[in-house]
Amino acid sequence: MCNLFSRIKNTISADIHEMLDEKEQKNPIAALNQYLRECEKEVEKVRKLVERQYLLKEQFTREYNEARQLADKRKYQVEIASRAGEIELMQFAINEQTQFEERAQRLKSALEQASIHLQELEQKYEEMKHKLKDMHIRQMELMGKENITRANYRLNQMLDGNSYTGKVGSRFEEMDRYLDRLEHQANSRYHRHTIDGRIAQLEKQLKNEENHSISE
């Protein structure tokens, strides 16, 4: 049964990886965005670990200071009890002093280790933030390249009429023809109105000349 579940798990995992590979081939920018989101989650996890380690260091510091103070207090009490001849009380204070000193030593060691670990985590956290920032910059660079590629592809489609097989032509060519038609119509109207006006003027001039000849 365990082997069956293992095979099913491996099969599902393989299918998922295959699907992700296909997605990456079809849309590498989308795959990169997914990777960045995963990296951001990991960086956030490390940030929380750094905060937790910092709190642990503070707690170790408080516990160490408290144990050190109690050990010093019992040491002073040992001297007082010894001078007063209180042997039983002195022995109790000695035992307490020993316990507090051992605890303080243990806490001191733990505090040193916690400080070292905190420093290591902080360094790794900063490195991860820098790497994540670099990845975001690379993402923007790739997006810029992809955008230029898409823009050039669209422009080439618009400027290259041959890419539109079976169509009249590119949009710019259609616009050129449309403008040519408008220009032709405008010129025709202009010439027509100009000719009509000129003919009317000549006709009027001829009539005036005829009237002038008759009157003579």
Side-chain angles (χ1 to χ4, degrees), residues 64-89:
Y64 168 73
N65 291 334
E66 181 181 355
R68 187 69 265 169
Q69 290 174 0
L70 290 173
D72 293 340
K73 180 180 179 180
R74 289 293 185 264
K75 181 179 180 180
Y76 174 75
Q77 291 174 346
V78 168
E79 295 178 358
I80 297 298
S82 176
R83 289 167 57 186
E86 295 288 340
I87 304 301
E88 184 177 353
L89 184 60

Side-chain angles (χ1 to χ4, degrees), residues 90-105:
M90 182 185 69
Q91 189 61 45
F92 176 80
I94 290 174
N95 292 336
E96 286 276 296
Q97 177 188 354
T98 302
Q99 290 181 1
F100 286 131
E101 286 180 347
E102 290 177 353
R103 182 181 301 170
Q105 186 62 35

Side-chain angles (χ1 to χ4, degrees), residues 95-209:
N95 292 336
E96 286 276 296
Q97 177 188 354
T98 302
Q99 290 181 1
F100 286 131
E101 286 180 347
E102 290 177 353
R103 182 181 301 170
Q105 186 62 35
R106 181 179 177 183
L107 287 168
K108 181 180 179 181
S109 177
L111 176 59
E112 291 174 352
Q113 290 296 320
S115 300
I116 294 173
H117 293 159
L118 176 60
Q119 184 177 3
E120 292 175 351
L121 282 175
E122 287 177 337
Q123 290 178 351
K124 291 180 180 179
Y125 177 56
E126 290 299 323
E127 290 176 2
M128 291 181 70
K129 287 198 299 182
H130 284 299
K131 289 182 179 180
L132 183 61
K133 187 66 175 179
D134 291 338
M135 291 175 68
H136 277 296
I137 293 174
R138 291 189 63 186
Q139 177 195 31
M140 291 188 293
E141 291 173 346
L142 290 175
M143 290 176 66
K145 291 179 180 179
E146 183 190 36
N147 187 60
I148 291 298
T149 301
R150 290 178 181 271
N152 287 332
Y153 176 75
R154 295 295 183 185
L155 289 172
N156 290 335
Q157 275 192 327
M158 293 179 66
L159 296 174
D160 185 8
N162 295 327
S163 62
Y164 288 87
T165 305
K167 294 184 179 181
V168 177
S170 68
R171 290 185 177 88
F172 283 161
E173 290 177 345
E174 292 177 357
M175 182 60 69
D176 285 338
R177 284 193 291 272
Y178 177 69
L179 292 174
D180 289 340
R181 288 197 301 271
L182 290 180
E183 184 178 4
H184 178 71
Q185 292 174 3
N187 290 335
S188 297
R189 285 195 297 268
Y190 172 77
H191 289 302
R192 184 167 56 250
H193 290 306
T194 302
I195 292 174
D196 291 342
R198 181 60 177 164
I199 293 297
Q201 184 180 3
L202 291 174
E203 185 179 7
K204 183 178 180 180
Q205 183 178 352
L206 290 173
K207 286 182 179 180
N208 290 334
E209 291 178 354

Side-chain angles (χ1 to χ4, degrees), residues 1-12:
M1 183 64 69
C2 292
N3 292 333
L4 176 61
F5 284 131
S6 297
R7 287 198 298 271
I8 294 174
K9 180 180 178 181
N10 293 334
T11 302
I12 295 175

Side-chain angles (χ1 to χ4, degrees), residues 36-51 125 128-129 132:
L36 283 176
R37 285 192 292 269
E38 293 176 358
C39 290
E40 288 172 351
K41 291 179 181 179
E42 293 301 320
V43 172
E44 179 63 18
K45 290 179 182 178
V46 175
R47 184 189 67 81
K48 292 181 179 180
L49 290 175
V50 171
E51 290 182 353
Y125 177 56
M128 291 181 70
K129 287 198 299 182
L132 183 61

